[in-house]
Amino acid sequence: MIAVAAADGARAGQAPGARIYRDAVRDSSSQRWPALDVLRGFVMILMAIDHASATFNADRVVTDSIFMWQPGAQLPAAQFLTRWITHLCAPTFVLLAGVALAISSERRLGAGDAPRSVDAHLRRRGLVLLALEVAWMSPAMVGPGRVLLQVLFAIGGALIAMSWLRRLPDRALLAIALGLLVGGEALAGLADALGVLQSLPVAVLLVGGYFADGRLVVAYPLLPWLAMMLLGWVLGRRLLAWRERGVDVPGRAAAVLATWGSAGLAAFVAVRGLDGYGNLLLHRDDGSLVQWLHVSKYPPSLSFACLELGIAALLLAGLFRVTAARPGFGGPVGTIGQVALFFYVLHMHAMGLVALALGWQDRFGLGSAYVGAAAVLIALYPACVRYRAYKAAHPGGWTQYL
């Protein structure tokens, strides 16, 4: 097929390589659900806003944990809401990673790969992400000589765990996910009662923390984020099962996700309204909107998970309907979503180099978060397009890990 495509391209006066890449992208895209790519691309845009704010915005607000918040302090609405909209990024990114991994693993099995081969692939991908977190992202995030374990650590660790957990039925995976999200605060309380809350194993698994005089920071403990990947994995399996049975996948997915999203938001209102268990001690100071939305991300509280996953589910429900009715919807946003990890591992370095070269670190106001995000998206978009084409043309190469 590649040879025929090359010959056709040459006869048409086109570069054969360009024709092959376009065919590969088209074939790859035909096997995808565009709603997933568009939502992933959208949260990459929100993430760029947050990280541009961290780079350029002198007045950035980060109070997403009881350890970072002084009750009674002021929350400037514009700064807070800019930070708050980006809370959607990590839960959605991890959820969609679970969806994509379930689909790719089932595809490998369907193509004849042995289960042990699939397990080994998941572990290799997990180890690659862990290495990228330590050796590549940490220097950009917190500087040389320090290690920050955040979203790549959480996804990498979850991938390794999924090499065993994937054999469980969907109901068991769903029960484990909900148990971790609902019971996380109780487990933290038990660890506190046993005097091990601030130990490294508990930090890595459950609550996060600072170690080695701040040279090691665990920002994304594994278990709550594994729970979100499990939910995505179950969703990915359901999508495949519906397609196998000839069900209208976009319609069924939209209905199911709308139900789960509404349930998640209802649970958020209940948990946040009662203002007790499920908030990881980050309680409301009053009844204002910012206080209702001021939930714990470090570590993820039940209220945080219900709010963000509820929003993500509703957005995805809407996108399944829109992309089914309007093929091609999403455009550049969907393109970025198809290569989200590639964009992720480049964007902080790009902004950091600009800030360092021009002396712009923490020099500006809130607008710099949006201007900086727009600039890095525009600057990296051509590279994303080329990488997407290369990845589609080389599905078994090194790009399968990025």
Side-chain angles (χ1 to χ4, degrees):
M1 184 180 74
I2 290 176
V4 171
D8 289 346
R11 283 193 294 270
Q14 300 172 340
R19 175 66 177 272
I20 293 169
Y21 277 1
R22 282 196 296 273
D23 289 347
V25 170
R26 182 170 62 249
D27 291 344
S28 175
S29 298
S30 69
Q31 301 174 20
R32 307 177 73 99
W33 283 286
L36 304 175
D37 294 327
V38 175
L39 182 57
R40 193 183 293 108
F42 175 65
V43 298
M44 287 295 101
I45 294 171
L46 294 181
M47 179 202 65
I49 293 172
D50 186 45
H51 291 165
S53 182
T55 303
F56 305 112
N57 178 13
D59 300 315
R60 181 179 184 237
V61 169
V62 181
T63 59
D64 316 318
S65 167
I66 188 59
F67 305 110
M68 305 175 182
W69 169 245
Q70 180 63 43
Q74 294 297 309
L75 280 176
Q79 289 279 1
F80 170 79
L81 291 173
T82 294
R83 168 68 176 171
W84 178 80
I85 61 173
T86 69
H87 281 345
L88 185 65
C89 303
T92 308
F93 195 29
V94 175
L95 178 82
L96 294 180
V99 175
L101 290 163
I103 293 171
S104 64
S105 295
E106 293 299 327
R107 184 178 297 135
R108 284 175 175 273
L109 291 169
D113 284 9
R116 288 185 179 181
S117 175
V118 173
D119 296 340
H121 178 71
L122 290 173
R123 292 170 193 145
R124 284 195 301 270
R125 289 195 66 182
L127 290 173
V128 168
L129 294 183
L130 295 178
L132 282 172
E133 185 77 282
V134 173
W136 179 251
M137 293 307 300
S138 289
M141 294 283 191
V142 293
R146 302 178 66 195
V147 173
L148 174 63
L149 302 180
Q150 50 167 13
V151 68
L152 293 188
F153 164 76
I155 295 177
L159 271 172
I160 294 170
M162 288 309 304
S163 67
W164 292 284
L165 291 174
R166 70 176 186 83
R167 288 172 170 76
L168 296 177
D170 290 352
R171 289 185 179 181
L173 295 178
L174 184 61
I176 293 171
L178 295 178
L180 288 173
L181 293 176
V182 174
E185 187 164 337
L187 291 174
L190 177 61
D192 190 29
L194 295 174
V196 296
L197 184 65
Q198 298 181 3
S199 66
L200 182 58
V202 173
V204 167
L205 291 175
L206 197 60
V207 297
Y210 292 80
F211 300 89
D213 296 324
R215 293 191 300 276
L216 172 62
V217 182
V218 182
Y220 281 52
L222 177 60
L223 292 181
W225 297 99
L226 171 62
M228 299 182 204
M229 177 171 281
L230 289 171
L231 294 176
W233 192 282
V234 171
L235 175 59
R237 280 180 169 175
R238 291 297 88 206
L239 294 174
L240 292 173
W242 292 331
R243 184 166 66 184
E244 182 70 20
R245 297 202 302 263
V247 173
D248 171 21
V249 174
R252 176 68 64 85
V256 170
L257 286 164
T259 300
W260 279 99
S262 299
L265 293 184
F268 163 75
V269 170
V271 173
R272 197 66 178 149
L274 292 172
D275 202 28
Y277 182 89
N279 290 282
L280 280 171
L281 305 181
L282 191 60
H283 301 298
R284 292 183 289 110
D285 283 356
D286 53 49
S288 63
L289 176 63
V290 293
Q291 286 294 330
W292 269 83
L293 299 179
H294 187 218
V295 289
S296 176
K297 179 182 178 183
Y298 303 106
S301 64
L302 177 60
S303 57
F304 172 88
C306 290
L307 175 61
E308 304 306 331
L309 293 176
I311 294 172
L314 292 178
L315 287 174
L316 191 54
L319 285 170
F320 265 111
R321 292 199 181 279
V322 171
T323 54
R326 296 177 56 188
F329 176 83
V333 177
T335 297
I336 292 173
Q338 290 183 24
V339 293
L341 186 55
F342 175 78
F343 176 81
Y344 177 81
V345 301
L346 291 183
H347 80 289
M348 279 298 295
H349 295 74
M351 291 190 292
L353 287 173
V354 170
L356 180 64
L358 300 178
W360 286 357
Q361 182 73 44
D362 298 328
R363 284 286 302 277
F364 304 104
L366 180 60
S368 64
Y370 297 91
V371 173
V376 78
L377 285 161
I378 292 170
L380 292 181
Y381 182 72
C384 289
V385 172
R386 292 179 67 85
Y387 178 76
R388 180 186 67 159
Y390 181 86
K391 183 175 183 177
H394 302 83
W398 63 270
T399 59
Q400 63 186 302
Y401 299 103
L402 189 61

